[in-house]
Amino acid sequence: MAVLVIADRDGDTVRDTTHKTVTAALKLSGDVDVLVIGQGSRAAADAAAKIARVRKVLLAESDALSHQLAEAVEATVLALADGYDAVLAPATTDGKNYMPRIAAKLDVAPISDIVEVVSNDTFTRPIYAGNALETIQTADAKKVITVRPTAFDAAGEGGSASVEAVAGADAGKAAFVSEEMVKSDRPELGAAKIVVSGGRALGSAEEFHAVMDPLADKLGAAVGASRAAVDAGYAPNDYQVGQTGKVVAPGLYIAIGISGAIQHLAGMKDSKIIVAINKDPDAPIFQVADFGWVADYKTAVPELMTALG
Amino acid sequence: MKVLVPVKRVIDYNVKARVKADQTGVDLANVKMSMNPFDEIAVEEAVRLKEGKEHHAAGTADEIVVVSIGVQQAQETIRTALAMGADRGLLIQSDTDLEPLAVAKLLKAVVDEEKPDLILMGKQSIDGDNNAVGQMLAALLDWPQATFAGKLVIEGGKATVTREVDGGLQTLAATLPAVVTVDLRLNTPRYASLPNIMKAKKKEIAMKAVADYGVDTAPRLTVQKVTEPPKRSAGVKVTDAADLVAKLKTAGVL
Ligand SMILES: Cc1cc2nc3c(=O)[nH]c(=O)nc-3n(C[C@H](O)[C@H](O)[C@H](O)COP(=O)(O)OP(=O)(O)OC[C@H]3O[C@@H](n4cnc5c(N)ncnc54)[C@H](O)[C@@H]3O)c2cc1C
Ligand SMILES: Nc1ncnc2c1ncn2[C@@H]1O[C@H](COP(=O)(O)O)[C@@H](O)[C@H]1O
């Protein structure tokens, strides 16, 4: 049984979501290859080749792949699929975008967002906003799976796999127009050890940044937000933590002015330590918080800044 | 332009799902059910395409067909979409919950009959959290897809879609016919007015059975068990910052 992992490329390297997906893949097979896609990805492929226990890195280059266009990724992977019993990708927005497409073409049931590999054909995944975990067995010979990165440890470095070029498909009937990426020097939400998240209580974009940014900088943290804060335009869409946003599991998660709706909890309840600052003592967030502070954030956050020194 | 909107009847988003004691699934008896919230957003956008609301030219859409695959009561879900402004409905009855692959195959059969120019659907159903059917349908049809839409512009035979992705926003132009799956920020769905609810009662809902489509809907997955995730319990309250910082240091996270 051989497994293909589609890498999550980040410029000249690959994100640790790739390493975590490799860990999940190694539970299925010792023969794990990594596919790195996108024009000018040679350096990223070399980085992937250093992941411990990876057998081989495949490098597929085309402009369409640089933008992760689903039709191009699908065609590229389909051309390789014969050689593999399973294809895995991290459950990022890219993985979620192209993996079901690949599954449909292979006539297999995709398995989304696994948090555990029980055996070769059996996996556990959250459903109902994480209020239940289902363990499912697939009858498909080929498996197409997305992996929740926070549920797996990152594979180490120290590998020396070879890099082999494969054909990269061109764009299909959807063309890239433009992108607007949020620039930040802070750690990425999914990878940060500390996350500070703000909710509707912050009241405006100016206030959100005035309160959250200095705290994040002091803690070396990433900034997240509730849906309400994103919908209201206080924070970019990419900050949303939850059932339908990002899933995070940092060592420390600090929720500020967030009520704790189930959809929000779905994205952060696996954090090691949860702190909640909320002026309503009955806010549901306190039911999952290790440390709850019933306070107005307007006084609590400055106090916290001082106490952190 | 004809728009097809697949809608699913799911547990209401305000209800906390409870796992059955025998671990066979989630208890849905006497639980409030509603239209999947993302599908409401898809219906709303289709209606705006017809009305010419926001940046859409009036009459961009001229017919909106809503389809649901599910139990008899999914008629109510379709009726809700009709009250929001969709023109007619189709229920493909199924007493078992079908997997995304089977749903996508049935929807493909519907598309082959209806020949829509655009399929607008939710990015994810909030029960199974699969986030799969739209992409699978696009693949089976060999149509382009634009998922997680936060903005949609229909112009010159193309759907220009701004997508909510990790890291920010990506804009794609997909040649119609295409599948667009919608995200939370696309619009805020309307509440149907009483007159529109009354009007919707007269709109047609065609009834079909899964068998009418002759597609393979055999399950590929067996649910071995459904369990409750480990519970977190409430910890302690702190009353000042010094106390909190001390506790975080003890916990080893600072
Ligand atoms: C389909 C669907 C998907 C969703 N997906 C997500 C998701 O992925 N992520 C997500 O977060 N939500 C999601 N939601 C939304 C979710 O249901 C809640 O509406 C949202 O999380 C609420 O955000 P909030 O806690 O910031 O706002 P609110 O619920 O309004 O809470 C604000 C909190 O701030 C407190 N507060 C007010 N003023 C102060 C102050 N001065 N100091 C301290 N505290 C104060 C209040 O006591 C309150 O508890 C989804 C909903 C649906 C229907
Ligand atoms: N049984 C169904 N009937 C109609 N549409 C469905 C059904 N299941 C899923 N869908 C559509 O597919 C989208 C994505 O669902 P899923 O892939 O299950 O998360 C939903 O938002 C609906 O638009």
Side-chain angles (χ1 to χ4, degrees):
Chain A
M1 174 159 185
V3 181
L4 183 65
V5 168
I6 307 177
D8 184 12
R9 177 195 171 199
D10 181 17
D12 283 347
T13 182
V14 291
R15 289 193 180 82
D16 84 331
T17 48
T18 308
H19 298 67
K20 291 171 171 179
T21 306
V22 166
T23 299
L26 285 166
K27 291 183 197 267
L28 290 171
S29 163
D31 295 328
V32 174
D33 294 350
V34 175
L35 172 66
V36 177
I37 58 177
Q39 198 60 48
S41 290
R42 181 77 213 190
D46 289 338
K50 297 204 178 77
I51 302 176
R53 295 177 62 199
V54 166
R55 181 175 74 171
K56 185 165 73 179
V57 172
L58 305 178
L59 169 62
E61 297 186 278
S62 78
D63 283 333
L65 290 175
S66 303
H67 302 298
Q68 307 270 336
L69 298 184
E71 297 76 10
V73 181
E74 171 219 298
T76 303
V77 174
L78 281 183
L80 301 167
D82 273 352
Y84 297 95
D85 306 288
V87 183
L88 271 61
T92 56
T93 48
D94 286 329
K96 291 174 185 172
N97 186 37
Y98 52 66
M99 291 298 267
R101 207 175 159 106
I102 294 168
K105 284 285 168 91
L106 293 170
D107 193 33
V108 310
I111 302 176
S112 307
D113 216 14
I114 62 162
V115 294
E116 192 190 340
V117 176
V118 178
S119 76
N120 264 347
D121 61 1
T122 306
F123 308 90
T124 301
R125 57 183 296 273
I127 52 176
Y128 290 88
N131 284 310
L133 289 170
E134 71 171 0
T135 300
I136 45 175
Q137 182 174 32
T138 174
D140 288 319
K142 242 187 239 307
K143 293 151 193 83
V144 177
I145 297 169
T146 57
V147 175
R148 178 175 287 199
T150 54
F152 295 88
D153 293 330
E157 300 284 323
S160 56
S162 59
V163 178
E164 191 179 294
V166 296
D170 291 327
K173 289 175 260 184
F176 173 80
V177 176
S178 62
E179 66 182 11
E180 241 177 274
M181 292 297 163
V182 181
K183 289 260 175 305
S184 166
D185 296 331
R186 297 198 190 91
E188 281 188 20
L189 248 184
K193 292 196 171 59
I194 302 179
V195 173
V196 293
S197 272
R200 195 199 303 271
L202 278 301
S204 71
E206 296 71 37
E207 179 75 352
F208 187 96
H209 291 290
V211 173
M212 304 302 294
D213 293 359
L215 182 60
D217 291 339
K218 179 150 277 189
L219 290 165
V223 183
S226 70
R227 173 194 174 180
V230 175
D231 281 7
Y234 308 164
N237 62 282
D238 161 71
Y239 281 29
Q240 183 180 309
V241 170
Q243 176 187 20
T244 57
K246 287 217 174 93
V247 176
V248 300
L252 174 60
Y253 187 89
I254 306 182
I256 299 172
I258 293 179
S259 61
I262 46 176
Q263 293 86 4
H264 187 78
L265 301 186
M268 44 66 83
K269 69 182 168 53
D270 292 328
S271 304
K272 185 165 170 248
I273 297 286
I274 296 173
V275 171
I277 300 175
N278 194 304
K279 68 176 184 189
D280 172 9
D282 297 323
I285 190 82
F286 287 124
Q287 292 163 21
V288 300
D290 299 277
F291 305 118
W293 188 3
V294 181
D296 191 320
Y297 80 83
K298 289 191 183 109
T299 50
V301 175
E303 259 186 56
L304 180 58
M305 290 285 286
T306 311
L308 286 166
Chain B
M1 183 175 79
K2 182 166 169 179
V3 184
L4 182 75
V5 188
V7 299
K8 187 179 185 188
R9 178 179 186 267
V10 298
I11 190 169
D12 185 83
Y13 80 96
N14 273 314
V15 178
K16 187 174 184 297
R18 299 215 180 275
V19 172
K20 286 191 205 161
D22 66 2
Q23 300 197 334
T24 55
V26 161
D27 196 356
L28 294 178
N30 305 315
V31 162
K32 184 178 180 209
M33 305 292 280
S34 302
M35 191 189 306
N36 183 38
F38 289 101
D39 304 353
E40 279 188 324
I41 296 171
V43 173
E44 174 67 32
E45 196 68 12
V47 175
R48 289 184 187 189
L49 284 168
K50 191 170 172 188
E51 293 172 338
K53 285 253 169 66
E54 304 283 327
H55 54 275
H56 301 307
T60 305
D62 46 34
E63 189 183 20
I64 304 166
V65 182
V66 177
V67 53
S68 191
I69 302 161
V71 292
Q72 187 70 32
Q73 295 93 313
Q75 269 190 84
E76 294 160 22
T77 315
I78 295 175
R79 203 62 79 185
T80 304
L82 297 177
M84 288 173 73
D87 296 298
R88 60 187 170 86
L90 164 64
L91 173 64
I92 306 176
Q93 284 185 68
S94 167
D95 289 330
T96 52
D97 215 2
L98 296 174
E99 291 169 8
L101 180 61
V103 172
K105 286 180 181 178
L106 283 167
L107 291 176
K108 176 179 186 293
V110 172
V111 171
D112 290 342
E113 271 177 12
E114 293 282 348
K115 304 197 166 33
D117 306 284
L118 175 67
I119 302 170
L120 272 173
M121 54 202 292
K123 78 163 180 181
Q124 174 175 346
S125 23
I126 61 160
D127 49 1
D129 281 335
N130 283 300
N131 193 334
V133 172
Q135 298 88 313
M136 298 183 87
L137 177 58
L140 295 177
L141 290 163
D142 257 317
W143 287 11
Q145 70 187 46
T147 54
F148 324 147
K151 185 173 181 205
L152 168 69
V153 177
I154 302 286
E155 215 174 52
K158 284 192 162 75
T160 302
V161 175
T162 303
R163 307 177 55 231
E164 297 201 356
V165 296
D166 293 343
L169 299 168
Q170 181 194 55
T171 302
L172 296 181
T175 304
L176 296 176
V179 175
V180 174
T181 79
V182 307
D183 215 321
L184 296 169
R185 254 72 59 184
L186 184 62
N187 61 48
T188 306
R190 70 192 66 194
Y191 291 102
S193 66
L194 197 56
N196 285 340
I197 293 172
M198 299 312 288
K199 260 197 255 164
K201 294 196 167 138
K202 298 199 193 75
K203 292 180 181 173
E204 175 209 333
I205 300 181
M207 304 290 276
K208 294 269 189 162
V210 170
D212 294 339
Y213 292 91
V215 302
D216 168 23
T217 58
R220 306 294 180 82
L221 307 171
T222 323
V223 177
Q224 291 189 334
K225 60 174 181 187
V226 174
T227 57
E228 235 178 277
K231 266 218 169 46
R232 276 194 96 100
S233 42
V236 296
K237 288 276 174 10
V238 296
T239 48
D240 65 67
D243 184 19
L244 175 60
V245 169
K247 286 191 159 72
L248 294 177
K249 286 193 171 141
T250 310
V253 290
L254 275 189

